[in-house]
Amino acid sequence: MAESDWDTVTVLRKKGPTAAQAKSKQAITAAQRRGEDLDTTKKWSAGQNKQHLVTKNTAKLDRETEELQHLRVSLEVGKVIQQGRQNSGLTQKDLATKINEKPQVIADYECGKAIPNNQVMGKIERAIGLKLRGKDIGLPLEAKPKKRVGAKGRGGKENMFKIKSLVH
């Protein structure tokens, strides 16, 4: 025994549980079995980047009883689109391809589920040749005369004559 007294004895211990392990379900139940005091609190809106949760309009929104909805395309417009498409011999998919939209967009417009978008409505109007907006819904789309750049104001013949007369 005298020989072993001078040896140094090193005791290795395991590290304690990490924060994630301490919060695990197993760690909590083990602590409860040992009779340790536990303090559990649930964080409200944890993991969300919300610094100011109460806004000015919160109470106003709470008092609001009216259900607010977006305006939808009327069924009349949907029927006009459907008739114009069928008169042109197009399927919903063909029309959608022609105006660079998804077929579901055309289906939504025809059913009256879509929220009107002037850009999409304009594309559909030009594709089927019928008006979908304004008072004249369903009437043929009138081709607007293209604005021609005339001789007036652009250095055309009339201005050339004026310049020549001033030079001579």
Side-chain angles (χ1 to χ4, degrees):
M1 284 256 188
E3 295 174 5
S4 64
D5 289 338
W6 58 273
D7 289 337
T8 308
V9 178
T10 307
V11 179
L12 299 174
R13 288 189 221 154
K14 287 185 176 180
K15 293 181 180 178
T18 63
Q21 291 170 341
K23 294 177 186 174
S24 71
K25 185 76 172 163
Q26 292 173 336
I28 293 171
T29 54
Q32 286 174 338
R33 284 190 200 121
R34 289 191 299 262
E36 296 177 11
D37 291 332
L38 294 177
D39 183 29
T40 55
T41 56
K42 177 129 177 99
K43 290 185 179 179
W44 186 76
S45 72
Q48 297 177 358
N49 191 14
K50 292 184 179 178
Q51 284 125 10
H52 308 290
L53 297 173
V54 179
T55 61
K56 296 177 192 175
N57 297 328
T58 305
K60 186 177 178 182
L61 287 171
D62 288 342
R63 288 192 304 265
E64 186 66 48
T65 56
E66 181 182 344
E67 285 189 37
L68 303 175
Q69 296 178 6
H70 288 288
L71 295 174
R72 306 275 182 203
V73 175
S74 69
L75 285 174
E76 178 189 2
V77 172
K79 290 198 183 293
V80 169
I81 293 172
Q82 189 174 17
Q83 289 170 353
R85 177 179 59 77
Q86 289 171 346
N87 290 342
S88 302
L90 298 171
T91 63
Q92 286 182 346
K93 186 175 180 181
D94 294 337
L95 179 59
T97 305
K98 192 172 183 179
I99 67 167
N100 293 327
E101 293 290 341
K102 294 180 181 178
Q104 186 62 44
V105 172
I106 303 300
D108 288 346
Y109 271 85
E110 287 185 3
C111 295
K113 293 180 183 177
I115 297 169
N117 179 341
N118 278 330
Q119 205 170 14
V120 175
M121 297 279 276
K123 289 181 192 178
I124 296 172
E125 280 180 340
R126 288 189 298 277
I128 63 175
L130 298 173
K131 281 190 64 88
L132 301 175
R133 301 173 283 183
K135 299 175 187 174
D136 307 328
I137 294 175
L139 295 178
L141 189 65
E142 299 170 2
K144 292 183 179 178
K146 293 184 180 178
K147 294 180 181 177
R148 227 177 78 193
V149 178
K152 296 180 181 178
R154 291 281 185 175
K157 289 181 182 178
E158 290 180 6
N159 287 339
M160 290 298 285
F161 291 126
K162 288 179 185 177
I163 293 170
K164 282 184 182 179
S165 62
L166 290 174
V167 174
H168 293 290

